[in-house]
Amino acid sequence: NAEFSVGVSTGCSSRLRLTSSHPSKAGSVWYDSRVPVLRGFETVFSWVITDPSVECTEHVDRTFSLKQHKSCAVKGGDGFAFVIHGDPNDSFALGGDGEHLGYGGIENSIAIEFDTWTNVDTQGSDDIFQDHISIHSAGPNAPNSSKKTAGLGFWRPYPIADGKVHKAKIQYLPFVETRYFELMTANENLIPYLKDNGEGRRLGTLAVFVDQGVIEDRPLFAIPVNLSVLLDLPRGLAFVGFTASSGRRWENHDVLNWEWCHSSCQ
């Protein structure tokens, strides 16, 4: 069971800072070589989001033109994603900033996004007014997108950017896991990828676990999907890693540790 990790190795803490707390940034980090994904994998990582942007407004009495008070709103953006891809740019792949979360525009990819900013429906988004986790892919022949046209299944709300350290596990099983049926979500965008693709490339299950769900082995949600149909991956190998972005709002997106396993990380 091959694996690699990034984390604390000395007395000083270390982290992968995907983007710093500045506007209109995008960043990505990839493992330096392709890894096998089609026969199943598990990856575990911890993250923390800090130093969100602050917007203040001074309220003035219109009658006397006197300053009354100043109010400030603390809200960062835009979020980060765990991404699997076969983009031609290999380990240099990077998508757009703002609503794209650093993965929008990466070809032949699937992203599990941890979204901290609400984009309005006029942007083609189905975001909610809460931090949330969702899965996006435009298939093997198109650039990925954070818009609802690329959403696979439906989002789940979760407090992603509350300043606390969180832990996630993402698992792909090369079969349909019946234990997760009650937690599965699906939509019409998934239909082309709900089929077998030959021996050893059957319909599988992609599951997302967070915090207590990692401990209890209970996913926040899961989707049925065949990665060998969704992505075009010669020899079943893909680049794996993280992207993030900021836009008109910003925050630090930090991965504190990361472990990848070709089967189970336990």
Side-chain angles (χ1 to χ4, degrees):
N1 183 41
E3 62 184 59
F4 58 83
S5 63
V6 176
V8 177
S9 58
T10 67
C12 299
S13 62
S14 59
R15 61 188 62 204
L16 293 171
R17 175 151 292 174
L18 302 172
T19 64
S20 59
S21 189
H22 294 89
S24 302
K25 300 293 184 181
S28 65
V29 61
W30 310 104
Y31 188 57
D32 63 3
S33 60
R34 297 174 185 264
V35 296
V37 298
L38 298 185
R39 294 188 178 275
F41 67 82
E42 189 172 288
T43 187
V44 179
F45 59 89
S46 296
W47 84 86
V48 64
I49 294 177
T50 58
D51 196 18
S53 54
V54 179
E55 183 178 36
C56 296
T57 304
E58 292 186 344
H59 301 270
V60 178
D61 187 306
R62 293 183 178 181
T63 303
F64 300 100
S65 298
L66 297 175
K67 289 186 179 180
Q68 299 297 304
H69 65 279
K70 180 171 71 173
S71 63
C72 296
V74 179
K75 178 61 177 174
D78 273 70
F80 73 98
F82 179 79
V83 182
I84 302 166
H85 78 82
D87 187 278
N89 290 311
D90 295 340
S91 60
F92 294 97
L94 177 62
D97 63 5
E99 65 180 286
H100 301 290
L101 299 187
Y103 75 82
I106 296 179
E107 298 178 12
N108 191 25
S109 70
I110 182 171
I112 296 85
E113 68 162 40
F114 295 74
D115 195 333
T116 66
W117 180 256
T118 302
N119 296 293
V120 297
D121 56 6
T122 55
Q123 296 173 284
S125 171
D126 60 349
D127 282 357
I128 57 172
F129 288 97
Q130 290 177 269
D131 294 355
H132 58 277
I133 303 172
S134 58
I135 301 174
H136 288 253
S137 178
N141 301 312
N144 207 343
S145 169
S146 62
K147 299 183 184 300
K148 61 184 177 182
T149 54
L152 303 181
F154 297 95
W155 42 257
R156 292 290 184 267
Y158 201 80
I160 297 165
D162 56 3
K164 299 178 181 179
V165 174
H166 295 279
K167 185 176 185 178
K169 178 174 77 172
I170 297 169
Q171 177 189 68
Y172 179 67
L173 302 170
F175 56 87
V176 176
E177 178 52 87
T178 57
R179 292 187 301 128
Y180 300 163
F181 272 177
E182 65 174 310
L183 302 168
M184 282 190 176
T185 176
N187 62 3
E188 65 276 8
N189 296 340
L190 266 171
I191 293 174
Y193 316 117
L194 299 180
K195 58 185 178 181
D196 291 338
N197 193 25
E199 189 62 36
R201 296 192 170 194
R202 304 297 188 186
L203 179 62
T205 305
L206 182 64
V208 180
F209 307 73
V210 286
D211 293 334
Q212 191 64 25
V214 178
I215 298 172
E216 298 176 354
D217 193 33
R218 180 178 174 84
L220 181 66
F221 69 106
I223 62 170
V225 66
N226 189 334
L227 287 186
S228 73
V229 178
L230 181 74
L231 303 177
D232 180 13
L233 303 175
R235 304 186 306 281
L237 302 176
F239 280 99
V240 296
F242 299 89
T243 68
S245 73
S246 61
R248 294 185 299 108
R249 300 291 184 268
W250 54 90
E251 59 201 6
N252 292 325
H253 299 102
D254 294 342
V255 175
L256 304 180
N257 55 67
W258 175 27
E259 186 176 16
W260 171 276
C261 307
H262 297 317
S263 55
S264 173
C265 290
Q266 297 179 353

